Amino acid sequence: MTSGANPLPTLWELKEMESKPKTRMARLFDRIICALPILAAALELLQYKLRPNFRNFTTTDAYTVFVSFFAVLILGLFVASFFSKRAFEKLRAQSPLYTVVFLLFAAYDHATLKTGLLPLPYFPWPDRILNAIIDDRVLLLDCIGNSLQLLFLGYIFGAAAGLLTGVSAGWSRSIRYWVMPLIRILGPIPSTTWLPIILIVAASLFGGSVFLIALGVWYPVTMTSMNGVQNIRKANFEVARTLGASNARLVFRVAVPSAMPYIFQGLTQGMSVACTALMVAEMMGVESGLGWYINWQRGWAEFAKMYAAIIVICLTFTVVNMALTLIRKRVLRWQEGGAGV
Amino acid sequence: MSAGHIQINNIKKIFARADLNSTLLVLDEVSLDIRPGEFVSLVGTSGCGKSTLLRIIAGLETATDGVALCDGEPINGTNPKRGLVFQEHSLFPWLTVRENIAFGLRATKQYSFKKELVDALISMVGLEEFADSFPHQLSGGMQQRVALVRALAISPDVLLLDEPLGALDSFTRMVIQEELVRLWQERHNTMILITHDVDEAIYLSQRIFIMTPRPGRIIRELTLNMSYPRNRSDSAFVDIRNIILKQLHFATDTHEDYNL
Ligand SMILES: Nc1ncnc2c1ncn2[C@@H]1O[C@H](COP(=O)(O)OP(=O)(O)OP(=O)(O)O)[C@@H](O)[C@H]1O
Ligand SMILES: [Mg+2]
């Protein structure tokens, strides 16, 4: 409903209008910062290709391709940043981090491959770790699949059970009466404490591990959802009741959605507990998955493969947590100022 | 329509003040008889117990003593036949404007055949552009308008309005007052309105009850026979306004020697 002569600005134009104008010097400085990661990557590539290696250390082109790949991506973004404000903002914010990452790679390469300051076999250089991932990719993928399966099974059971006990305990005083002692006793014990018992008692190790992870997730989800339901403004229930809501509707359409910010705190906490429990379970008993892989390679003193597995674990968990954050942002989009409690 | 008969007999409400270890008498021997389809207003100074009385009629609060009846039945808990528009921001923050308005329709299983009603109500209060916004993106007055039509959506026999237009500018307020009269004449439901705006009470209601400061009692009842729509500059209108203001003034001031 604006006049044709003076249309409303887009979101990006608005941001620009509301931000302070920058001086010529500041703009130049921004461009330099944006170029830094590319320089750092080039530096590392030069070192890798041109500097002689320590002793008879051999290398492949896998690492060259790896570094070049990211360098080219950033270069693309750099070019785009001259045309798109959005690309520029993104690159300007991320550049310092990318630069430091490349420099860290360079420093590590220097300390291992180029000078041997950090000795083999404990400190393989990046190219070796990269090759370990590539060589063992089939097994690693298989391990990722197994780990994720175990993780999600345990997480889903734990979260569902936690929601059930938490919401019902938050809702009903008499259920709280019975759930509270359980929480008090089980809560402070890390779920992995039960592992030795589970190893003996559980019919299948897989089932036992699912239980272990579920138990670890159950506790934080129960606590936060109970808390969330108890903290709901009374007025929300009163309004819903005057509009004819049944008790079931009060629980599922009022209590649960308005406790969601709390519940997501528990779900996030639960995810980190689940990841820990997963690793412990896989290292101690379950004969598959990334945790098992690390332990197994340790037996062979395959350090490059151990590092490879650690990197894969790190990437896997990062992706899982990013997915959780996305879901949370989507579910909590009604909150003022985004999805923070 | 014959539903929506509210009878209040000698109601008393005492609140516990746990922190102060004392009790507070808020309503003292209040009696009302509101006919089905009648539009009445309650006016009184802040803190005199108006909201409390309305909450008792809604079934959200129980009276300490006395009986409250709706269509001859004792009021026991809430009922979608008695809708309440709350004094303060009461929208569900996790639902959009449209979903807030649809809440009651869904709860009473009418949504499937009354979907268009939601849109009609949204445009009645001029919020078409904000139908899919969340409450925190609305101004206080916009939120009040949504809360009002959310209660209207399920067509309650008795609509309890606790200062529903308090946050609106005087122009928007007049527009919505006209809408309220139109809706009421169309539906013939019982309306019980609390307002601090004396003109609003006179513009809308057939009877006005004036309450004393706490403990709340009804000290005066005015019956208005003017036809709708009413004219705010009418001499009868102005006379009634003076009577009410005078009554409210004496109700707050113990000195009765003031000359208007
Ligand atoms: N739940 C409660 N517990 C204790 N005291 C209460 C409670 N609710 C209301 N009161 C007290 O009852 C009195 C009347 O409150 P009420 O909300 O009914 O006033 P009101 O007439 O609606 O005032 P206003 O015009 O400011 O909205 C106040 O003194 C208030 O402190
Ligand atoms: Mg009030």
Side-chain angles (χ1 to χ4, degrees):
Chain A
M1 274 198 280
T2 50
S3 64
N6 203 0
L8 279 179
T10 64
L11 213 70
W12 276 97
E13 286 165 351
L14 179 69
K15 257 194 189 159
E16 207 172 336
M17 283 160 74
E18 291 188 341
S19 62
K20 276 186 296 205
K22 285 192 168 169
T23 64
R24 216 191 168 80
M25 279 302 282
R27 277 203 298 267
L28 183 66
F29 180 74
D30 281 344
R31 292 295 175 198
I32 292 173
I33 297 276
C34 287
L36 277 182
I38 302 162
L39 287 178
L43 200 74
E44 163 61 348
L45 278 176
L46 285 177
Q47 163 175 261
Y48 182 71
K49 295 303 280 184
L50 301 182
R51 252 180 95 186
N53 295 343
F54 185 63
R55 292 211 190 121
N56 57 344
F57 289 176
T58 54
T59 54
T60 66
D61 274 333
Y63 185 64
T64 320
V65 173
F66 174 78
V67 174
S68 310
F69 173 74
F70 287 104
V72 168
L73 272 189
I74 294 171
L75 188 65
L77 201 57
F78 183 72
V79 173
S81 76
F82 283 93
F83 305 103
S84 147
K85 196 82 190 155
R86 198 177 207 134
F88 170 75
E89 298 274 341
K90 193 174 163 179
L91 185 61
R92 175 65 186 82
Q94 298 295 328
S95 272
L97 181 67
Y98 294 158
T99 308
V100 168
V101 170
F102 280 124
L103 289 179
L104 282 177
F105 267 96
Y108 185 69
D109 217 22
H110 162 83
T112 52
L113 176 68
K114 298 298 174 186
T115 59
L117 284 176
L118 298 171
L120 278 181
Y122 310 109
F123 297 102
W125 52 90
D127 182 57
R128 245 178 112 115
I129 300 173
L130 204 59
N131 274 298
I133 297 180
I134 295 168
D135 291 344
D136 241 6
R137 60 185 179 280
V138 179
L139 183 55
L140 276 171
L141 271 179
D142 194 45
C143 285
I144 293 176
N146 285 329
S147 286
L148 285 181
Q149 193 188 0
L150 187 54
L151 181 71
F152 281 121
L153 267 179
Y155 188 75
I156 287 166
F157 278 122
L163 275 176
L164 197 72
T165 46
V167 171
S168 55
W171 179 259
S172 140
R173 190 187 293 272
S174 58
I175 294 179
R176 190 154 63 243
Y177 177 86
W178 292 108
V179 169
M180 272 318 277
L182 199 65
I183 290 173
R184 287 245 167 79
I185 294 167
L186 292 182
I189 308 173
S191 71
T192 43
T193 313
W194 303 101
L195 188 68
I197 300 174
I198 287 170
L199 285 178
I200 300 166
V201 177
S204 87
L205 265 178
F206 186 81
S209 304
V210 169
F211 176 76
L212 192 76
I213 295 169
L215 189 64
V217 178
W218 170 80
Y219 175 67
V221 175
T222 304
M223 285 307 282
T224 54
S225 49
M226 182 172 82
N227 214 336
V229 172
Q230 282 185 281
N231 277 313
I232 296 170
R233 286 181 52 220
K234 221 177 73 195
N236 282 336
F237 290 123
E238 292 181 343
V239 174
R241 286 221 306 272
T242 61
L243 290 170
S246 61
N247 273 333
R249 190 168 287 269
L250 287 181
V251 173
F252 294 109
R253 298 293 159 128
V254 179
V256 171
S258 66
M260 267 303 162
Y262 290 86
I263 292 173
F264 265 97
Q265 279 183 340
L267 288 174
T268 311
Q269 250 172 287
M271 184 53 88
S272 82
V273 176
C275 290
T276 312
L278 173 75
M279 282 302 121
V280 174
E282 286 181 344
M283 286 187 184
M284 304 290 288
V286 184
E287 301 227 319
S288 68
L290 292 164
W292 163 82
Y293 181 92
I294 292 190
N295 228 13
W296 186 61
Q297 297 298 358
R298 196 193 53 171
W300 299 101
E302 286 271 14
F303 284 89
K305 291 195 174 170
M306 287 167 59
Y307 285 107
I310 290 173
I311 289 168
V312 171
I313 289 169
C314 172
L315 291 178
T316 309
F317 287 174
T318 306
V319 169
V320 167
N321 277 306
M322 271 162 57
L324 189 64
T325 309
L326 278 181
I327 296 173
R328 173 190 154 118
K329 280 220 171 105
R330 168 84 197 143
V331 173
L332 298 185
R333 70 191 190 287
W334 53 270
Q335 275 197 316
E336 199 162 1
V341 171
Chain B
M1 186 190 261
S2 57
H5 186 189
I6 298 291
Q7 290 160 287
I8 305 283
N9 295 325
N10 298 324
I11 272 198
K12 216 179 218 176
K13 180 70 191 178
I14 301 173
F15 275 117
R17 294 206 288 185
D19 47 330
L20 296 173
N21 236 328
S22 65
T23 53
L24 186 71
L25 178 62
V26 172
L27 292 175
D28 192 15
E29 303 285 324
V30 173
S31 297
L32 293 172
D33 191 326
I34 300 161
R35 293 187 305 277
E38 194 177 11
F39 202 137
V40 304
S41 292
L42 286 167
V43 296
T45 48
S46 177
C48 73
K50 304 180 296 293
S51 294
T52 306
L53 181 57
L54 220 59
R55 287 170 59 84
I56 290 173
I57 300 173
L60 290 169
E61 209 89 63
T62 46
T64 313
D65 195 19
V67 274
L69 305 174
C70 176
D71 294 327
E73 305 265 338
I75 291 172
N76 182 16
T78 53
N79 189 315
K81 284 184 186 160
R82 297 188 304 276
L84 172 59
V85 178
F86 287 70
Q87 184 171 6
E88 237 124 48
H89 22 259
S90 62
L91 298 182
F92 301 121
W94 61 90
L95 295 180
T96 60
V97 166
R98 187 189 303 282
E99 286 302 311
N100 260 286
I101 296 171
F103 187 95
L105 291 174
R106 289 189 200 275
T108 51
K109 312 260 182 294
Q110 307 176 61
Y111 184 66
S112 52
F113 53 92
K114 284 198 177 166
K115 283 188 186 120
E116 327 73 52
L117 177 62
V118 176
D119 287 308
L121 289 169
I122 289 174
S123 44
M124 179 190 127
V125 287
L127 290 174
E128 296 95 332
E129 260 192 284
F130 295 90
D132 296 310
S133 299
F134 287 102
H136 80 261
Q137 299 164 315
L138 306 183
S139 74
M142 288 153 90
Q143 295 185 21
Q144 273 198 336
R145 282 180 268 166
V146 178
L148 175 66
V149 293
R150 179 178 60 182
L152 287 172
I154 53 173
S155 312
D157 293 341
V158 183
L159 188 58
L160 308 164
L161 302 157
D162 196 347
E163 289 178 47
L165 312 180
L168 298 182
D169 62 282
S170 49
F171 176 72
T172 313
R173 186 188 276 241
M174 285 184 199
V175 172
I176 301 212
Q177 285 167 358
E178 276 171 39
E179 282 294 334
L180 272 178
V181 170
R182 194 182 58 74
L183 271 171
W184 168 63
Q185 289 181 326
E186 206 172 282
R187 297 179 174 180
H188 299 293
N189 59 329
T190 309
M191 296 272 206
I192 307 180
L193 170 77
I194 293 178
T195 177
H196 281 154
D197 178 352
V198 174
D199 279 17
E200 179 167 285
I202 305 171
Y203 184 78
L204 292 172
S205 28
Q206 297 172 306
R207 263 197 301 166
I208 299 176
F209 299 100
I210 303 171
M211 290 175 75
T212 60
R214 205 186 61 234
R217 241 180 261 120
I218 299 208
I219 37 163
R220 180 119 191 212
E221 179 188 323
L222 294 165
T223 304
L224 282 63
N225 290 317
M226 297 177 278
S227 63
Y228 295 90
R230 292 176 177 169
N231 182 346
R232 289 168 217 266
S233 46
D234 212 70
S235 69
F237 201 104
V238 176
D239 288 347
I240 293 167
R241 181 197 294 146
N242 286 337
I243 294 171
I244 295 173
L245 288 176
K246 196 169 172 189
Q247 187 75 56
L248 282 173
H249 173 80
F250 286 136
T252 51
D253 197 347
T254 44
H255 301 284
E256 300 200 358
D257 54 12
Y258 194 89
N259 261 323
L260 271 177

